[in-house]
Amino acid sequence: MIVGYSYAAENLCPSCTIKVMRASGITVQRGKPHEEAIRKAAEKLGIDVDDEHSYDSGDFPQPVTDQQCETELTELPDAEPGVCHAISDERCSGTNCNKWLKLGEKSPTEAGLTRWVRDDYELPQALAREIAKKLREWGLSHPEFITEDNVRRAAATFPHDYTAVHAEGNPQRIVLMPTPQHDNDPCFYCGQSWEKHTFICTTCGTHVSADAPHGHEVQVKGQIKFREAKPPCPQSPSRTTPTDRTAF
């Protein structure tokens, strides 16, 4: 299937190909499917579009099929040495176009990708926004090329709500625990152990490492000042968590 054309040292979608042809002085019939219109234009110029070796793409567009689209190998950060993630990276070079030739559409905006991450993986809006930014930074801008592993790895690069999943008895009953239940308890979002996460203090609003001591002096009406107890040792996560330390 023809998804675009190689013309004047650029790979273009059908619409942009016709625009460039007209700008170059080639007459292309209007109101016809792109393939038929371009073939008719070739016939008038004595060009056999079925024999790509008989003419140069600098003179007339040569068809690009979905099987001919090139692939760019992208190695994501922290990937195992030599392991690359392949994504189709053949896009239209037309002005303000940038459509994926195979998909025939543009990548969603950052807001659109955020919504997709949020809805498809059931993540909080704030975390989904950060993940979408990181994915685009890695060159992964379209859901067609994004895997669950990509999303989890992106999530692991940001402080986020710690949520472990535990099924109690009935496999269909999933209980979300906002705090870790035992050492190495994995995070539902990124799969890393809770010790690698941060928590946000509701008193000062700062991020605190999971295993870092943190406390505040608080004034209770009618009582003298006292120093609030420090959080429990990370090796004993089953102990009660201080009330001013909310999971994050």
Side-chain angles (χ1 to χ4, degrees), residues 2-5 13-15 18 28 32-40:
I2 296 177
V3 295
Y5 294 86
C13 69
S15 296
I18 292 176
V28 184
K32 296 287 185 180
H34 69 84
E35 190 171 350
E36 180 182 344
I38 292 175
R39 184 176 290 274
K40 288 288 186 182

Side-chain angles (χ1 to χ4, degrees), residues 46 51 76-77 155 164 212:
D51 183 5
L76 302 182

Side-chain angles (χ1 to χ4, degrees), residues 50-111:
D50 294 322
D51 183 5
E52 63 180 29
H53 299 293
S54 65
Y55 67 101
D56 189 271
S57 63
D59 301 320
F60 196 86
Q62 290 184 345
V64 174
T65 66
D66 55 349
Q67 296 179 335
Q68 292 175 318
C69 284
E70 296 178 359
T71 299
E72 178 180 287
L73 296 180
T74 303
E75 186 171 353
L76 302 182
D78 301 323
E80 295 180 13
V83 177
C84 291
H85 299 259
I87 61 172
S88 295
D89 193 46
E90 197 68 53
R91 303 197 200 196
C92 176
S93 302
T95 305
N96 299 323
C97 184
N98 208 33
K99 285 183 179 178
W100 296 89
L101 296 185
K102 274 189 177 182
L103 300 177
E105 63 185 31
K106 295 182 181 181
S107 291
T109 61
E110 187 172 306

Side-chain angles (χ1 to χ4, degrees), residues 180-243:
Q181 305 300 295
H182 52 75
D183 288 349
N184 298 316
D185 207 356
C187 172
F188 176 50
Y189 299 140
C190 69
Q192 294 195 103
S193 63
W194 72 272
E195 292 90 342
K196 294 185 178 181
H197 287 71
T198 62
F199 291 79
I200 188 169
C201 174
T202 56
T203 299
C204 64
T206 60
H207 292 287
V208 183
S209 297
D211 57 356
H214 187 69
H216 293 277
E217 288 186 357
V218 296
Q219 179 68 48
V220 179
K221 187 176 182 179
Q223 296 183 4
I224 61 174
K225 285 187 176 181
F226 68 94
R227 180 175 293 277
E228 190 172 10
K230 291 183 178 180
C233 174
Q235 280 70 34
S236 304
S238 59
R239 293 168 56 188
T240 303
T241 303
T243 55

